[in-house]
Amino acid sequence: MKAYILRRLLLTIPLLLGISFVSFVIIQLSPSDPAEVAVRVNEIVPTDEVLALTREQLGLNKPFMTRYADWMCAVAQGDLGRRYVDNKPVAQELARALPPTLWLALTATLFMAVCSVGMAFLCAMYEGRTVDYLLRSFIFLGTATPGFWAGLLLMWLFSVKLNWLPTSGMQGASSVILPAATLSLSYISTYARLLRNSMVLNKQKPSVLYARARGLTRGMIWRHIFRNSLQSTLTGLGMSLPKLMAGTFVVETIFAWPGLGWLCVTAIFNRDFPVIQAYVLLMAVMFVGCNLLVDILCAVIDPRLRARGQA
C-alpha cells in the first residue's frame, strides 16, 4: 500500500508542473496588455512612460521562460502576485474567499451524498415498483433542470413566497441552504442514477445469491451490495468537490455569496490577470489532489486495484 501511495504521489509532480505551465501560458496569450490593464483599472492615463514603467514593475520585459520561472519560485513561496485593482496580495484575497466557498461546497456535497445514497437505496430496493419510477422521474427532472433556473425557482419559493430563508448573502447557517441545494441538484441526480444502476447490477451477482443461501440477514446483504457498488460512485463523488468549487460562478453570483466564484467573476470583469491565474492554478491543484485521494481510498476499499497498479 505504501508503494502504491508513493508511486501515485510521484506521478502527480509532472502533472502539477504541466498544469502550472498551462495556467501561466493561458494568461500570457490574452490579447490585452497586462500593463495597460493594470494602469487603466487604477484610472491612470496610459502614456508610453507610464506603460514602460509598469511593464518593468510587473517584470513583463523579461523573457517568457524567465517570467515563468520567477512566477513558479514565487508560487512555491506562497506569493501569487498582487491584484491590479487595489494592489492587495492575491493569496490574501483567495484565503479570504476560500472559507465561504468551502462551506458552500461541503454543504452541497453533504446534500448530494445523503440524497443520492438514499434515493439509490430506495430505487434498488423497490426496483420496477412505484417508488422506483417516482424517484427516477425526479432524478431525470433534476438532471434536465439548469442550475440558474433551479436557483431562481428556489429563491422565489422559499425566500419570496414563504419567507423561510434569506434571498442572498452570507447571513448565518440558514443562508447556505438555498445555494447548496441549487449547487447539488444536478449532482444528486447523476450520482443517484449511477449508484442505483450499480446496486441493481450487483444484487443479481452470484455472490449475493450465495449470501442469501448462507442465511445472512437482509441488512448484511444490502451492506455487501452497497460496498461493492461504491467504487465508481466514490470516484465521482471525490471529483465533485473541486467541480463544485469550480462551478460556483453561477450560484455565487445569483445568491451574492462572497466566495471564490464571486472573486473570480469580479476579476474577469476587471481583467485582473493575477487573480484569474491564481484561481485557475488553485482549482487545477484541487482537482489533482482530490483525484489522488479518491484513488488511494478506492485502493483501500478494493485490494484488486492495488494489485493492478503494482503489475
Side-chain angles (χ1 to χ4, degrees):
M1 189 65 196
K2 289 180 181 177
Y4 178 81
I5 295 174
L6 181 61
R7 185 166 52 255
R8 292 291 293 116
L9 284 172
L10 291 175
L11 285 174
T12 59
I13 295 175
L15 184 59
L16 288 174
L17 285 174
I19 288 171
S20 68
F21 185 75
V22 170
S23 62
F24 185 79
V25 168
I26 287 174
I27 301 301
Q28 302 302 314
L29 293 177
S30 170
S32 302
D33 181 1
E36 186 175 347
V37 172
V39 168
R40 286 190 183 279
V41 295
N42 288 293
E43 299 180 352
I44 300 173
V45 178
T47 61
D48 292 341
E49 293 77 12
V50 170
L51 289 177
L53 180 60
T54 306
R55 286 196 184 93
E56 186 177 352
Q57 289 174 343
L58 297 177
L60 298 174
N61 293 329
K62 297 178 182 176
F64 175 80
M65 290 308 295
T66 304
R67 278 186 282 144
Y68 173 66
D70 290 345
W71 180 68
M72 279 300 297
C73 289
V75 169
Q77 298 171 19
D79 181 8
L80 298 172
R82 290 182 173 273
R83 291 174 47 164
Y84 290 164
V85 176
D86 51 15
N87 203 34
K88 287 183 179 177
V90 174
Q92 180 182 318
E93 293 302 301
L94 288 181
R96 181 187 57 76
L98 184 60
T101 298
L102 269 180
W103 184 27
L104 175 60
L106 289 174
T107 308
T109 305
L110 179 64
F111 285 178
M112 183 176 62
V114 172
C115 295
S116 58
V117 169
M119 285 196 288
F121 250 106
L122 288 173
C123 286
M125 289 176 72
Y126 298 100
E127 182 193 0
R129 296 162 70 178
T130 307
V131 174
D132 185 25
Y133 290 129
L134 286 175
L135 287 176
R136 286 168 67 191
S137 300
F138 176 78
I139 288 169
F140 288 128
L141 186 65
T143 306
T145 306
F148 70 90
W149 174 249
L152 293 174
L153 198 62
L154 291 174
M155 187 188 294
W156 172 80
L157 178 61
F158 292 103
S159 300
V160 178
K161 288 294 179 184
L162 301 176
N163 198 25
W164 288 353
L165 297 168
T167 55
S168 60
M170 202 168 65
Q171 309 167 26
S174 61
S175 59
V176 77
I177 295 176
L178 287 183
T182 304
L183 196 58
S184 62
L185 184 61
S186 62
Y187 293 95
I188 289 173
S189 304
T190 300
Y191 294 120
R193 189 173 48 186
L194 187 66
L195 187 57
R196 181 255 181 206
N197 293 341
S198 185
M199 290 180 74
V200 167
L201 287 176
N202 279 322
K203 79 176 186 179
Q204 297 168 357
K205 286 190 173 178
S207 60
V208 175
L209 294 176
Y210 178 67
R212 285 179 179 146
R214 286 172 56 201
L216 296 184
T217 63
R218 184 180 171 87
M220 293 173 70
I221 292 173
W222 275 106
R223 196 159 53 242
H224 171 75
I225 294 171
F226 178 66
R227 182 187 172 103
N228 287 342
S229 306
L230 271 181
Q231 184 183 327
S232 58
T233 309
L234 267 181
T235 305
L237 283 173
M239 293 307 297
S240 292
L241 183 59
K243 281 170 68 178
L244 285 170
M245 295 186 66
T248 54
F249 278 81
V250 176
V251 174
E252 290 190 358
T253 303
I254 290 175
F255 291 96
W257 190 262
L260 286 174
W262 178 267
L263 177 69
C264 192
V265 168
T266 308
I268 289 172
F269 279 123
N270 292 325
R271 288 185 292 178
D272 205 339
F273 295 136
V275 178
I276 301 170
Q277 198 169 39
Y279 178 82
V280 172
L281 182 64
L282 177 63
M283 289 299 117
V285 170
M286 287 188 62
F287 268 94
V288 173
C290 286
N291 191 27
L292 175 65
L293 287 177
V294 169
D295 282 352
I296 293 173
L297 184 58
C298 288
V300 170
I301 293 175
D302 190 350
R304 293 173 297 179
L305 294 178
R306 297 200 297 272
R308 201 178 303 161
Q310 289 167 0

